[in-house]
Amino acid sequence: MFLQIKNMSKKYGDSYAIRDINFSLEEGKFLCLLGPSGSGKSTILHSIGGFIDHGGQVILDGQDISKQSPEDRDVSTVFQSYGLFPHMTVEKNIAYGLRFKGRTEDKSQRLKEAREILDLVGLKGYEKRYPSELSGGEKQRVALARSLIVRPKLLLMDEPLSALDAKLRDQMQVEIRRIQKEFNITTIFVTHDQKEAFVMADEIIILNQGKIVNQGRPDEIYNKPKNAFSLDFIGQKNIFADSYVRPEKIQIDEDGEEFVITDITFFGPTIELKIENSQRKLKMLVLNQDFSYQKGDKIKVKYDLEKINENITCTDPASC
């Protein structure tokens, strides 16, 4: 494996921020660390980047980098705050990445490389602007360019889109994924937004209380959650004792079970229906184009219940 994290733990006082973290990642893959606030996502990221001392090993491309300083690791980090220098132009902010990593002492060469990478991130012509003259999305691209200019083996991104509005955030998700694929750079991206993880990731790790509770492709995480926590954290669901069904998997069918519509919520492309009968209350989703019902109407539906896996203490994805 290109990246291996072995037995990573970090303790503050009597409490563990992360404990017994083990995972691996293939070269060129995009991994999202997903979980609620305080679950250990950023602690793992900053430990890999060398900003936090930890127990365990970080092995990158066959080399143990656990004891290396951040500037000596072949790793670049994009922080939530962007970390741009307000007194520097865009091209100088980007060129600073080369200076920080000690890649070249030639100032003119650094600026030349900065201008070249600006074109790749869609900011050609912004060389002489200052951070105060940029939008949030433009600042994000500059921070990304500064990390990419050193051609790192591993790119780390700590909730970089959290300060952007919804529309710009959606645009930047697509743009970051495009750039990541173009550079074929192995990337770890921290987020608490499950939609963001599904849009961007090749693979997702779900964390809770400093432990890995699920790991897999986005479709695996959603369709086959390995434990009750993953099911509860990801998406909507109807739960009955030890079983569940996703709202979108309830289908209108004339041969199905009869319910009464008790509430209707419009979401644009989809519509949520609350339905009930003497046995159950359910939420279901239908496409806007298929909708022709009113509150109080009777409707027949079919659905299959799936079993909930109660394994909620899994720390090794291979054994979940």
Side-chain angles (χ1 to χ4, degrees):
M1 281 292 180
F2 187 71
L3 174 68
Q4 293 176 285
I5 306 302
K6 296 183 176 182
N7 305 315
M8 181 180 283
S9 296
K10 179 61 181 177
K11 196 173 184 181
Y12 294 101
D14 295 329
S15 300
Y16 281 94
I18 53 173
R19 188 168 188 173
D20 299 326
I21 299 298
N22 292 274
F23 67 86
S24 57
L25 189 61
E26 295 178 10
E27 186 174 10
K29 294 296 185 180
F30 195 113
L31 169 69
C32 276
L33 300 181
L34 178 65
S37 297
S39 59
K41 305 182 298 296
S42 293
T43 301
I44 292 173
L45 198 82
H46 295 166
S47 295
I48 295 171
F51 301 101
I52 294 178
D53 291 330
H54 61 88
Q57 291 179 287
V58 179
I59 301 172
L60 180 61
D61 196 18
Q63 181 183 9
D64 189 339
I65 63 171
S66 308
K67 303 302 180 184
Q68 291 182 358
S69 63
E71 59 268 24
D72 290 333
R73 300 187 184 203
D74 208 346
V75 177
S76 286
T77 305
V78 179
F79 295 102
Q80 186 175 357
S81 62
Y82 309 141
L84 302 181
F85 298 108
H87 62 286
M88 288 186 183
T89 61
V90 164
E91 65 179 1
K92 288 183 179 179
N93 261 286
I94 294 172
Y96 180 81
L98 290 170
R99 182 180 176 187
F100 176 73
K101 291 290 188 178
R103 296 296 172 91
T104 176
E105 295 298 324
D106 187 336
K107 182 178 178 180
S108 62
Q109 179 61 28
R110 292 200 301 266
L111 292 177
K112 178 178 179 292
E113 291 185 39
R115 288 190 289 270
E116 289 174 353
I117 205 163
L118 269 174
D119 192 20
L120 291 175
V121 298
L123 288 178
K124 186 176 181 179
Y126 284 66
E127 295 86 353
K128 301 302 180 183
R129 295 193 188 186
Y130 288 87
S132 61
E133 300 173 302
L134 303 177
S135 68
E138 290 163 352
K139 290 177 183 177
Q140 181 59 74
R141 291 177 192 231
V142 173
L144 181 58
R146 186 171 63 186
S147 292
L148 291 173
I149 196 172
V150 297
R151 308 284 174 169
K153 291 182 177 178
L154 179 65
L155 177 65
L156 308 176
M157 305 188 77
D158 190 7
E159 298 204 62
L161 308 181
S162 60
L164 305 182
D165 62 60
K167 184 176 181 179
L168 183 54
R169 187 169 182 157
D170 289 346
Q171 292 172 349
M172 286 304 301
Q173 289 168 4
V174 174
E175 188 65 12
I176 287 172
R177 194 68 167 106
R178 178 192 66 79
I179 293 168
Q180 184 265 336
K181 287 181 177 179
E182 187 169 329
F183 277 76
N184 191 37
I185 184 170
T186 310
T187 301
I188 301 179
F189 187 102
V190 164
T191 183
H192 62 271
D193 185 326
Q194 56 185 269
K195 176 178 175 288
E196 189 164 82
F198 287 148
V199 168
M200 303 184 77
D202 295 310
E203 195 165 336
I204 294 173
I205 286 177
I206 297 180
L207 293 146
N208 185 39
Q209 297 181 346
K211 295 182 179 180
I212 293 174
V213 296
N214 209 345
Q215 180 174 357
R217 299 190 313 268
D219 61 307
E220 293 173 333
I221 293 286
Y222 186 83
N223 292 321
K224 297 293 180 183
K226 291 182 178 178
N227 47 64
F229 178 84
S230 296
L231 171 64
D232 184 61
F233 187 71
I234 296 292
Q236 297 188 60
K237 59 270 162 195
N238 298 283
I239 296 179
F240 311 99
D242 61 349
S243 301
Y244 75 97
V245 61
R246 298 284 190 190
E248 71 276 10
K249 292 189 176 183
I250 302 174
Q251 302 295 320
I252 296 173
D253 193 308
E254 285 303 314
D255 295 323
E257 185 179 350
E258 187 171 272
F259 285 80
V260 174
I261 299 174
T262 59
D263 197 16
I264 299 171
T265 304
F266 181 75
F267 288 121
T270 60
I271 295 170
E272 180 187 270
L273 305 181
K274 290 183 180 178
I275 60 176
E276 64 177 75
N277 60 20
S278 58
Q279 279 78 43
R280 286 190 174 136
K281 294 181 179 180
L282 299 173
K283 286 183 180 180
M284 65 179 290
L285 289 176
V286 297
L287 292 176
N288 189 358
Q289 66 183 31
D290 298 333
F291 185 74
S292 60
Y293 297 94
Q294 302 292 327
K295 185 175 177 181
D297 285 353
K298 292 182 179 179
I299 189 173
K300 290 184 177 181
V301 302
K302 280 189 175 180
Y303 54 92
D304 294 318
L305 295 179
E306 300 182 63
K307 296 288 288 185
I308 298 174
N309 185 345
E310 288 296 340
N311 172 21
I312 60 173
T313 58
C314 177
T315 59
D316 181 2
S319 65
C320 289

